Amino acid sequence: YKADIYAKQPEDAKRLWAAKPPLAGESCASWVQRLCGDHHYSFPLLGRILGFFPSRGDWDRYLDDAVWLRLMELGDFSEPTPTFEQTLLLGNLSRVKDPGDILRIVDGFPAYRWCPFCLAHDEIPYLRWYWRLNHVQECWVHQAYLSERCIVCDRVLYLHRARLTGRCAVSLSECADCGMSLSVPERQQVHYDRELQQRLKSLFAPWGLSYAAPDFDESIILAAKYRYIVKGGRI
């Protein structure tokens, strides 16, 4: 799909009637997944409604202002709530060169790690933006290892298709392939570099799970520091 917000829209889809604002710390891809689930929309249908569909179904990549304006209009948001700010963070980071070493991508498609404990305690399960960062392996709330695959079917948590429409999952805390819960932690002990995880958490601490988000210039600096840290440097 090419961006064309002025194209005539389908008569039965003038509004995203069930649209709710993002939750605190929610990524754009997570919010779009829930939008599709609430409206029983596939990604292609949402693309027709918006006049836009991102490459490889990656809604965490940068979306221009015209797309956001269209989303605001269809969702009947008179003005963006503070939580919309954080949905822009990964998009700004993706505008730097070679975003694939910053955002998690598996076999060419957008993918997430996740914290089973966060999903277990969420009233409405959703994905945090920092779970998409390629080298973040630890939950910033529970200090637990982030899961990478369903413990039942061994599938990755991909987001290039609508997970909550016509598939096994009814919420983002369930595997879209087998329907089993993603809120059960792995049983085996996993070893990883916790010092690196603390340095990455400190780097993003000014944004954390608050409502602020770095602008484009700040994102360039943030991306450079991120790469420096994962290569063994210290700030």
Side-chain angles (χ1 to χ4, degrees):
Y1 289 89
K2 249 176 117 181
D4 183 7
I5 64 167
Y6 304 107
K8 184 177 180 180
Q9 304 301 321
E11 290 299 323
D12 61 346
K14 294 295 186 184
R15 286 272 304 279
L16 295 173
W17 293 99
K20 303 176 186 68
L23 299 167
E26 185 167 19
S27 71
C28 185
S30 173
W31 181 57
V32 169
Q33 287 284 347
R34 294 195 301 110
L35 277 180
C36 288
D38 288 343
H39 295 84
H40 304 288
Y41 287 171
S42 65
F43 271 10
L45 178 55
L46 182 65
R48 282 177 54 212
I49 293 168
L50 293 177
F52 170 81
F53 190 74
S55 175
R56 292 184 175 268
D58 193 347
W59 288 93
D60 282 328
R61 295 296 182 100
Y62 176 73
L63 305 180
D64 64 32
D65 292 342
V67 178
W68 275 108
L69 179 61
R70 183 69 181 153
L71 274 168
M72 295 300 102
E73 290 174 345
L74 289 170
D76 198 26
F77 297 108
S78 55
E79 59 182 39
T81 63
T83 53
F84 277 105
E85 183 77 9
Q86 283 207 323
T87 62
L88 305 176
L89 193 149
L90 292 176
N92 285 341
L93 286 177
S94 75
R95 297 174 72 184
V96 303
K97 185 179 179 182
D98 300 325
D101 62 357
I102 296 178
L103 304 185
R104 179 167 168 76
I105 296 173
V106 178
D107 295 331
F109 296 106
Y112 269 72
R113 294 183 175 93
W114 69 92
C115 174
F117 302 102
C118 285
L119 294 182
H121 293 123
D122 285 342
E123 183 176 347
I124 300 175
Y126 68 100
L127 308 177
R128 281 64 168 170
W129 60 264
Y130 72 92
W131 294 350
R132 179 77 197 277
L133 294 175
N134 201 24
H135 293 86
V136 171
Q137 295 177 286
E138 184 179 83
C139 174
W140 292 352
V141 176
H142 297 99
Q143 285 75 55
Y145 179 75
L146 297 179
S147 298
E148 297 187 0
R149 292 178 178 271
C150 173
I151 62 172
V152 176
C153 68
D154 201 40
R155 293 286 291 175
V156 173
L157 201 168
Y158 289 114
L159 273 84
H160 61 291
R161 295 166 57 189
R163 297 179 62 83
L164 309 181
T165 302
R167 304 190 71 191
C168 291
V170 297
S171 80
L172 289 176
S173 65
E174 295 178 357
C175 176
D177 293 285
C178 70
M180 297 303 292
S181 174
L182 299 178
S183 60
V184 180
E186 297 182 23
R187 292 196 179 105
Q188 69 268 27
Q189 189 71 25
V190 180
H191 299 283
Y192 59 96
D193 189 343
R194 294 204 65 191
E195 184 179 349
L196 170 62
Q197 298 307 304
Q198 289 302 308
R199 292 206 299 273
L200 291 174
K201 180 180 178 181
S202 296
L203 174 64
F204 289 96
W207 298 280
L209 294 179
S210 67
Y211 298 142
D215 60 26
F216 179 56
D217 291 334
E218 290 174 322
S219 297
I220 293 176
I221 298 172
L222 192 59
K225 290 182 177 179
Y226 177 90
R227 289 179 171 127
Y228 180 71
I229 288 175
V230 298
K231 289 180 179 178
R234 293 177 179 271
I235 297 177

